[in-house]
């Protein structure tokens, strides 16, 4: 069984990931549902992506996050599996600033962040409220012009 999960992340400049917790949550829920489905119990589930390096990095992050969260793999174990059949290195994530990126945020860094978040109780997908998360994820600011003191 192959399933397609279309993920659209709107970047600001040249950023492309990592995907946020809401997207990770939705991916994990969809995968868990398929794994628990009686009608799919005798089928293989294939996680795949295209050759686009950005999509490839995000797809690897999703399945790696699933392995850390639900399969209780260490970030290093999950990442090692991701590297095992790949001749092409994963593109590091970057921030939304203009110009050259001065650091590399790797998939392994992100998986380690997921593990830390779990260890310290920063999130728990059993009680995760995806709607609330998305409501507060984007902050908008309004600026009001002030009359200068003259």
């Amino acid at each position: 069984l192959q399933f397609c999960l279309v993920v659209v992340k709107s970047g600001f400049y040249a950023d492309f990931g990592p995907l946020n917790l809401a997207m990770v949550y939705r991916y994990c829920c969809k995968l868990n549902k398929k794994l628990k489905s009686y009608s799919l119990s005798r089928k293989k589930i294939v996680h795949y992506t295209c050759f686009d390096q950005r999509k490839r990095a995000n797809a690897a992050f999703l399945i790696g996050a699933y392995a850390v969260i639900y399969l209780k793999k260490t970030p290093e174990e999950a990442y090692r599996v991701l590297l095992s059949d790949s001749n092409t290195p994963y593109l590091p994530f970057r921030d939304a600033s203009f110009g050259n990126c001065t650091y590399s945020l790797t998939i392994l860094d992100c998986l380690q962040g997921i593990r830390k978040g779990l260890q310290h109780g920063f999130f728990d997908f059993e009680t995760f409220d995806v709607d609330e998360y998305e409501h507060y994820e984007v902050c908008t600011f309004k600026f009001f012009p002030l009359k200068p003191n003259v």
Side-chain angles (χ1 to χ4, degrees):
L1 169 71
Q2 298 176 355
F3 72 96
C4 177
L5 181 68
V6 177
V7 176
V8 177
K9 181 187 186 305
S10 56
F12 293 102
Y13 178 61
D15 68 318
F16 63 92
L19 299 174
N20 67 28
L21 275 180
M23 292 182 180
V24 173
Y25 174 79
R26 285 196 170 92
Y27 172 82
C28 290
C29 287
K30 186 168 190 130
L31 184 52
N32 278 334
K33 184 177 178 182
K34 294 199 177 296
L35 289 170
K36 292 176 183 173
S37 170
Y38 178 76
S39 64
L40 301 177
S41 63
R42 308 191 109 209
K43 306 224 182 220
K44 290 183 181 181
I45 296 175
V46 178
H47 173 92
Y48 70 97
T49 188
C50 62
F51 292 107
D52 179 285
Q53 287 192 343
R54 290 176 169 95
K55 291 179 182 175
R56 190 172 165 267
N58 276 314
F61 170 64
L62 285 174
I63 197 68
Y66 184 88
V68 171
I69 296 166
Y70 289 98
L71 303 180
K72 308 301 183 208
K73 299 292 183 188
T74 67
E76 293 75 17
E77 288 170 331
Y79 190 62
R80 196 170 22 257
V81 170
L82 292 170
L83 294 177
S84 66
D85 288 334
S86 177
N87 294 329
T88 307
Y90 290 102
L91 191 64
F93 300 113
R94 60 161 293 150
D95 65 8
S97 64
F98 290 98
N100 293 332
C101 186
T102 58
Y103 66 93
S104 293
L105 180 65
T106 67
I107 293 169
L108 180 58
D109 295 330
C110 296
L111 298 178
Q112 289 169 335
I114 292 282
R115 182 187 62 190
K116 285 282 188 195
L118 289 169
Q119 284 175 338
H120 295 289
F122 292 149
F123 74 94
D124 177 357
F125 279 177
E126 297 301 317
T127 59
F128 188 72
D129 185 339
V130 70
D131 295 325
E132 181 181 28
Y133 175 89
E134 287 181 328
H135 176 78
Y136 291 107
E137 180 193 32
V138 178
C139 296
T140 57
F141 298 96
K142 293 184 180 181
F143 293 95
F144 298 98
L146 299 176
K147 184 177 178 182
N149 292 336
V150 189

